[in-house]
Amino acid sequence: MLIVTNISELVTNNPAPGATPADPHSDFLGVITDATLVVEDGKVAWAGPTSGLKAGHPQAAEVVATQARQAPSALQAKGQEGGEGHRVIDAAGQAVIPGFVDSHNHTVFAGDRSEEFAARMAGESYSAGGIATTVKATRAASDDELEANLVRLMRQAQHSGTTTFEVKSGYGLDVESELKALELAARHTDEVTLMAAHVVPAEFKDDPDAYVDLVINEMIPKATTHAKWIDVFCEEGAFTEEQTARILQAGIEHGLRPRLHANQLTDGGALQLAAKFKCASADHATFASDADLAAAAESGTVLTLLPSIEFSTRQPYPDARRYFEAGVTVAIASDCNPGSGFSSSIPFCLAIAVRDMHFTVDQALWAATEGGAKALEREDVGHLRPGARADFSILDAPSYRYLVYRPGVQQIGAVFCEGELIAS
Ligand code: NIG
Ligand code: FE
């Protein structure tokens, strides 16, 4: 048993009756003050006010009364238990939040596009054309190199409080490289996405439909061993709505769940298509008409906003208030990739979301935890209700609001996944 006590604010995402992020004044974060969290077998066993521990979980109350408390920083590495198999951690009046669920990343790649970023900041505009640079470097890289880069990026994300991390392929764009990307990703996460339809590779530029056929006939059937999701970049310069529909349909027929890159650069029909296919999530959604938002709300498709991308491409920030008011479920993810935005820091995304996209602090935190879980169709993560996977961060701050209030300052103290310390 692991017991974290002396928590100033425990964010559970256990909403008060009727509370929802669509009503920014309601208590949808389920914040418990002066709280204790009890973990058994890697799952949340009890969460509540410390004053209720004795009645709520007598065995944990007994352990707290008899066992010395450790500071989070004094914890040993993964797997090491305190006396009698129980550990009591003193959060010392700091806040605890659910681990971030980062539902959108492109982190199997090689190469460097920092020059492209600098040129953009100096006035160039973003185009998907830069993807080809990464494809060239990725195809030339060894498996070890790709895996080492992936692991390094995932470790960095963990240090920022991320405990669930989706990974897409999409910088290989041939059968062998795409399947290799999926295999490498599956070694480190359950949330693996085939995104062979990222752009049409140079060798198919005169016959893009032949590449679509390759994705459908060769990649999708072989991807199912490692991938859970099928994703397509549906955009001018990438894949048409018709091609996207064919790929999503083929993926679904092979048991992959659909998601989409939609309306990132233009306000085309991709969001409507995502709704039609009942995609779990449509991501970017930078441009969304009222009809697009209504369609997403109606189909239950989560719209995943990606603050770091607008930051790094200088595109306009979408106004999240419109999305919430339309009844859409909204998530926030980092979209860590070498081109359009190379941050894996969810706290950085939260700061932008609140400052420039008009999320409230509470809505932003919800969107990066429970929202991300919904975007991945996961019920076991993104919250700290009893039965949840015990993925959480003890902050170096007395309130979760500090994540946004002190932008750029490390506020994530210790990160736990299934009740084990993974970063501090
Ligand atoms: O999500 N939009 C397409 N794909 C990535 C960017 C890829 C790149 O520029 O390398 C994205 O923004
Ligand atoms: Fe992306």
Side-chain angles (χ1 to χ4, degrees):
M1 186 158 39
L2 169 72
I3 302 156
V4 186
T5 191
N6 200 9
I7 301 170
S8 55
E9 293 177 350
L10 174 62
V11 175
T12 63
N13 284 339
N14 187 19
T20 147
D23 174 3
H25 303 296
S26 63
D27 177 20
F28 50 87
L29 286 183
V31 180
I32 303 168
T33 51
D34 300 324
T36 293
L37 177 70
V38 181
V39 174
E40 284 176 298
D41 301 323
K43 294 195 167 68
V44 175
W46 189 85
T50 303
S51 59
L53 182 62
K54 204 164 176 182
H57 201 304
Q59 199 200 344
E62 177 71 23
V63 173
V64 171
T66 55
Q67 192 159 315
R69 300 176 181 198
Q70 293 174 286
S73 57
L75 286 178
Q76 298 299 305
K78 195 171 156 99
Q80 300 210 350
E81 297 271 295
E84 297 176 13
H86 301 314
R87 287 177 294 176
V88 182
I89 297 173
D90 186 348
Q94 309 288 47
V96 169
I97 60 168
F100 297 127
V101 181
D102 191 349
S103 61
H104 185 143
N105 295 288
H106 308 249
T107 40
V108 185
F109 70 88
D112 180 339
R113 283 162 65 193
S114 57
E115 270 182 36
E116 180 188 312
F117 172 77
R120 204 156 60 233
M121 293 302 106
E124 296 288 322
S125 56
Y126 174 76
S127 97
I131 294 172
T133 313
T134 306
V135 170
K136 205 166 163 217
T138 304
R139 285 179 177 175
S142 69
D143 291 16
D144 287 351
E145 206 181 312
L146 292 173
E147 189 173 13
N149 194 35
L150 170 66
V151 169
R152 186 176 61 90
L153 294 170
M154 288 184 74
R155 287 292 300 153
Q156 290 170 344
Q158 286 173 347
H159 279 279
S160 298
T162 295
T163 49
T164 303
F165 195 80
E166 182 264 8
V167 176
K168 300 176 199 299
S169 70
Y171 289 119
L173 309 187
D174 60 40
V175 178
E176 191 194 342
S177 312
E178 284 295 304
L179 295 175
K180 181 170 71 183
L182 298 180
E183 202 238 303
L184 293 176
R187 291 181 194 172
H188 303 283
T189 178
D190 294 334
E191 301 297 340
V192 177
T193 303
L194 175 68
M195 197 176 171
H198 198 181
V199 286
V200 176
E203 58 274 24
F204 283 91
K205 80 173 185 337
D206 296 328
D207 192 1
D209 283 328
Y211 182 66
V212 173
D213 290 341
L214 184 73
V215 173
I216 290 173
N217 297 326
E218 293 212 40
M219 298 193 198
I220 288 176
K222 292 180 182 145
T224 54
T225 322
H226 298 301
K228 168 178 170 186
W229 303 100
I230 178 81
D231 196 345
V232 179
F233 186 14
C234 183
E235 186 65 63
E236 273 174 30
F239 293 87
T240 66
E241 287 163 40
E242 200 195 330
Q243 291 167 333
T244 301
R246 285 183 59 211
I247 294 167
L248 290 186
Q249 187 57 40
I252 291 166
E253 280 165 16
H254 280 84
L256 298 174
R257 291 284 302 129
R259 49 199 315 107
L260 218 52
H261 279 61
N263 295 39
Q264 175 184 359
L265 305 173
T266 54
D267 64 352
L271 281 173
Q272 293 291 340
L273 196 64
K276 192 171 146 206
F277 275 89
K278 294 207 177 306
C279 286
S281 177
D283 299 27
H284 289 279
T286 308
F287 300 94
S289 66
D290 290 348
D292 291 337
L293 296 180
E298 165 72 26
S299 66
T301 297
V302 174
L303 297 188
T304 301
L305 302 185
L306 307 169
S308 159
I309 301 308
E310 275 82 44
F311 179 89
S312 300
T313 57
R314 289 200 197 276
Q315 280 205 284
Y317 289 109
D319 185 338
R321 291 173 295 194
R322 287 183 57 233
Y323 297 57
F324 283 112
E325 280 162 19
V328 170
T329 301
V330 183
I332 288 174
S334 75
D335 191 8
C336 180
N337 76 79
S340 60
F342 199 18
S343 177
S344 55
S345 168
I346 292 290
F348 173 66
C349 295
L350 296 181
I352 302 170
V354 171
R355 171 64 178 75
D356 291 314
M357 297 164 80
H358 299 284
F359 283 81
T360 66
V361 173
D362 290 24
Q363 284 172 330
L365 181 55
W366 187 92
T369 50
E370 188 83 278
K374 289 187 185 299
L376 293 175
E377 299 184 332
R378 293 279 297 266
E379 290 187 354
D380 58 331
V381 296
H383 63 92
L384 294 172
R385 303 185 289 272
R389 212 167 77 169
D391 294 359
F392 59 92
S393 292
I394 304 176
L395 303 187
D396 264 338
S399 170
Y400 65 91
R401 296 184 190 91
Y402 275 55
L403 286 168
V404 176
Y405 176 43
R406 302 199 67 205
V409 179
Q410 174 68 331
Q411 302 289 304
I412 303 289
V415 185
F416 293 78
C417 192
E418 295 189 81
E420 299 290 348
L421 182 73
I422 58 165
S424 65

